[in-house]
Amino acid sequence: MFKTSFTLLALAISTATFADEVINKKQLTDAQMERVVVSGSRIFESIDEVPASITIINQQQIEEHLKVNPELQSLLAQMVPGLAPDTGSSSNTGQTLRGRAPLIMIDGVPQSTPLRNGSLGIKSLDPSAIGRIEVIKGATSIYGNGASGGIINYITKQAKSDGKTEGEISLSSRFSAVKLEESAGARLSAAINGRADKFSYLVTASYEENGVQRDAKGDILGLQYGLSDAVTQNYFTKLGYDFDDEKQLQFSYNYFSSQQKTDLGDVVGDMSLGEKTYAIHVPPELQKQGKPQGPEGNENITLKYTDYALFENTQMTLDLYMQDIENVFFFSPNLANQGENYDGGQSIIRSEKKGARATFNTQIDFDSIEASFIYGIDALTDVTSQPLVDGRIWVPEMDMQSVAGFLQTKWVIADDLIVKAGVRKESIDLTVDDYRTLKLCKTPTQCSVPINVKGDTIDYDATTYNIGIKYNLDEKFSPFLSYSQGSDISDIGRLLRAATVNDIGQIQTEASIIDNYEIGFNSQFDNVRIEVAAYRSTSELGTTNKFNEVTGVYEPVRAPQEIWGYETLVDYTISANLKLLATYSYVEGKNTEADVYLGSKQISPPKATANLNWRPSEAMSLTLSYLYVGDRKRFAANDDGKYVGDQGPVESYNIFNLTGQYQFADNWQGFAGIENLFNEDYFPARAQSYTFGGYNIKGLGTTATVGVKYKF
């Protein structure tokens, strides 16, 4: 539960606050919703007026994928060009967006922990609570720290406005079709919403217990960030009150927990020999040590007030939020110190955020120009640390205080030419007390040297800019060009825990300014929509890791980086009941100082996807999805034939999924899904490229889901 009182008070709006309320008032259709985005500029606007690459995943697409795999990592990898392939685990480490870390948000409230990025932000909400997902690609500072790769914003469902109570209950089971033994799990989700005069309410709940997960040979997948025997709970509430047609108050609460509670133990293989790590039943002394890994009851509380007519042509939303995160990681022998009787350790990332934001949106119409001015103030306190369960401190408490002001303008000239320009001025104070780095020993004689580090308050002041132009010349060709900057101090914790100097002022903790350039176009023909984008992003201070052979510890290296790539999307309506959505994305990057390629923690292999939806009748639909992950072999092996760090070669693989649903009564629907339809025996891209212990885990073998949904 929240442990400290709310200390900030400022003005604000979140990404979806204003837009969701406008959508609720206007009651847009599903088709219209697909043409709407709100995250990029913090206002409700059409995609046609955004000079950047946008991906919108609607509720139907979310529900279809939920029938084959309930994990958001899998859904996003399938639907978002530029996002790295699914990791097949509870962690999204290595699942970057265009080679950089995205900021994960729920209704505009950050879920990531950028000060010590544990890469668990994507899995922070159950898909059954999500109305749509908006993905804005490329570095942006519109929401502050942590969005060097862009924004992934989960927009939660809204209560219906027709007054009557509605609800649904879904029950399903997921199990291995290769070997059923111990693999069957159960999932229950329910939702209710309605409106009573000026009061609206939405409540969703989900509970899921996984069985063991098996690969194509029937073996249980390895446990590191594993999902075997995981128990996941999510409870979400959204309450609203309309004072009148123009003024609204909304309260939301989200609780999410997902932990692996198992009696299994790993049989560790060697990726350099092509050996997988898999799990078996073992005596208690050989089982996975420590607390169950995963989010341990993360909570969000948000309060929003919206006035659609504060002044003439001006709207306002105030937004206060609190968040408490506690993510537990697996027990690792790399956190050993034999001299103090520690044979390993288990870390926890703790983060408490308290934020307040205000956005004002003023609309002015000239003779042939429509102008929008979006401006406001953001304030945030983020206290993050990474202690070990046994009491040792790995990353000391970091107390970040941030205040920012911003102005974003949009000019629609003669209905066809859109010009957007903005600026954000941010001031950050990061305070760290005196601390001592942790002594870690790979072997009794191979240890890091602990250092007493003098703490201090580090000041960051950054002004970032963006400008974009889009010309809606014709439906058949609508080009855009954009430049945007992001200011990023993410993962300071990794730098602090690996300090080699005795003063925090001497650690290379400078903020990284990311410059993002993008050019592309959209084309709409009678039954075909095409999107193409190419991009390049540079930063003077990116962060990678290098193995120290003396201490056995991976240490951060800060050096300039350049990342580039391109993406294509084709949406083809073959006939009234047959539709195809296909994507291809390519990304590459280098440390430009050393002229070497970046590893797979940032750069993913080429990826292609296809989704073919067939609706033979009003009651029935089938979807066949395809994922192709290509080769990436940029690094040479050492003299012993082994690769290091995240530099392992990636071999291509192909995965097919099949889902279907049938409406056999007005209120009843049956559904089924098959993941890895042809039982491909493969290592996911991350498993192939990561040489760190325990990541060499196979992908899921053929796995089936069957269930039923009742609506009332």
Side-chain angles (χ1 to χ4, degrees), residues 381-400:
T381 290
D382 182 349
V383 180
T384 299
S385 62
Q386 189 176 19
L388 302 188
V389 171
D390 56 37
R392 292 179 289 168
I393 301 299
W394 197 12
V395 177
E397 194 169 87
M398 300 167 285
D399 187 341
M400 186 188 82

Side-chain angles (χ1 to χ4, degrees), residues 554-583:
Y554 282 91
E555 298 174 348
V557 176
R558 304 208 75 187
Q561 296 178 351
E562 181 176 351
I563 297 174
W564 64 92
Y566 60 89
E567 302 163 5
T568 61
L569 177 147
V570 177
D571 189 349
Y572 178 31
T573 302
I574 303 170
S575 65
N577 60 356
L578 188 62
K579 297 182 179 181
L580 173 66
L581 178 67
T583 74

Side-chain angles (χ1 to χ4, degrees), residues 442 446-447 546-555 638 644:
K442 196 173 185 67
Q446 188 183 29
C447 299
K546 184 177 181 180
F547 184 69
N548 186 322
E549 295 184 355
V550 176
T551 64
V553 174
Y554 282 91
E555 298 174 348
N638 289 341
V644 298

Side-chain angles (χ1 to χ4, degrees), residues 70-90:
E71 300 300 324
L72 285 167
Q73 299 98 309
S74 174
L75 166 67
L76 291 165
Q78 182 68 31
M79 302 301 298
V80 180
L83 189 74
D86 180 21
T87 64
S89 70
S90 63

Side-chain angles (χ1 to χ4, degrees), residues 281-482:
H281 288 284
V282 294
E285 62 270 16
L286 299 178
Q287 293 172 10
K288 203 72 171 178
Q289 299 182 50
K291 299 174 65 176
Q293 64 183 18
E296 191 178 19
N298 295 345
E299 294 177 291
N300 291 267
I301 291 179
T302 306
L303 185 66
K304 307 175 189 293
Y305 173 75
T306 306
D307 189 335
Y308 295 104
L310 179 66
F311 308 117
E312 185 177 1
N313 301 325
T314 298
Q315 298 153 342
M316 177 194 74
T317 303
L318 310 181
D319 173 8
L320 306 177
Y321 63 89
M322 302 174 67
Q323 182 187 83
D324 190 2
I325 287 178
E326 189 160 299
N327 292 328
V328 182
F329 292 83
F330 57 86
F331 185 90
S332 172
N334 293 330
L335 298 175
N337 182 344
Q338 294 86 352
E340 296 181 9
N341 297 318
Y342 295 112
D343 60 355
Q346 187 175 20
S347 71
I348 305 172
I349 290 181
R350 292 192 175 115
S351 178
E352 293 184 9
K353 298 188 186 79
K354 302 165 192 152
R357 296 179 295 196
T359 294
F360 299 86
N361 177 17
T362 299
Q363 307 280 339
I364 301 176
D365 290 346
F366 301 101
D367 288 341
S368 59
I369 300 175
E370 297 177 11
S372 300
F373 299 88
I374 305 101
Y375 49 97
I377 300 172
D378 293 350
L380 171 66
T381 290
D382 182 349
V383 180
T384 299
S385 62
Q386 189 176 19
L388 302 188
V389 171
D390 56 37
R392 292 179 289 168
I393 301 299
W394 197 12
V395 177
E397 194 169 87
M398 300 167 285
D399 187 341
M400 186 188 82
Q401 305 282 337
S402 169
V403 177
F406 65 91
L407 169 66
Q408 185 73 35
T409 67
K410 179 171 71 173
W411 308 81
V412 181
I413 304 170
D415 294 330
D416 295 327
L417 181 63
I418 296 95
V419 179
K420 299 186 72 172
V423 60
R424 180 183 176 94
K425 174 68 174 178
E426 186 149 22
S427 178
I428 296 176
D429 292 339
L430 183 71
T431 301
V432 179
D433 292 335
D434 296 350
Y435 72 99
R436 181 177 175 84
T437 60
L438 196 60
K439 182 178 181 180
L440 301 176
C441 300
K442 196 173 185 67
T443 67
T445 58
Q446 188 183 29
C447 299
S448 63
V449 179
I451 295 175
N452 292 316
V453 181
K454 181 181 180 296
D456 201 351
T457 296
I458 307 173
D459 299 325
Y460 301 92
D461 291 295
T463 303
T464 53
Y465 304 90
N466 67 81
I467 185 168
I469 300 174
K470 186 171 187 180
Y471 185 28
N472 292 326
L473 173 67
D474 185 270
E475 279 192 342
K476 296 181 176 60
F477 185 66
S478 184
F480 67 86
L481 176 69
S482 70

Side-chain angles (χ1 to χ4, degrees), residues 64 67-68 658-662 670-674 704-707:
E64 285 179 354
K67 294 175 176 63
V68 69
L658 179 65
T659 64
Q661 61 186 40
Y662 184 74
F671 59 87
I674 303 176
T705 300
V706 294

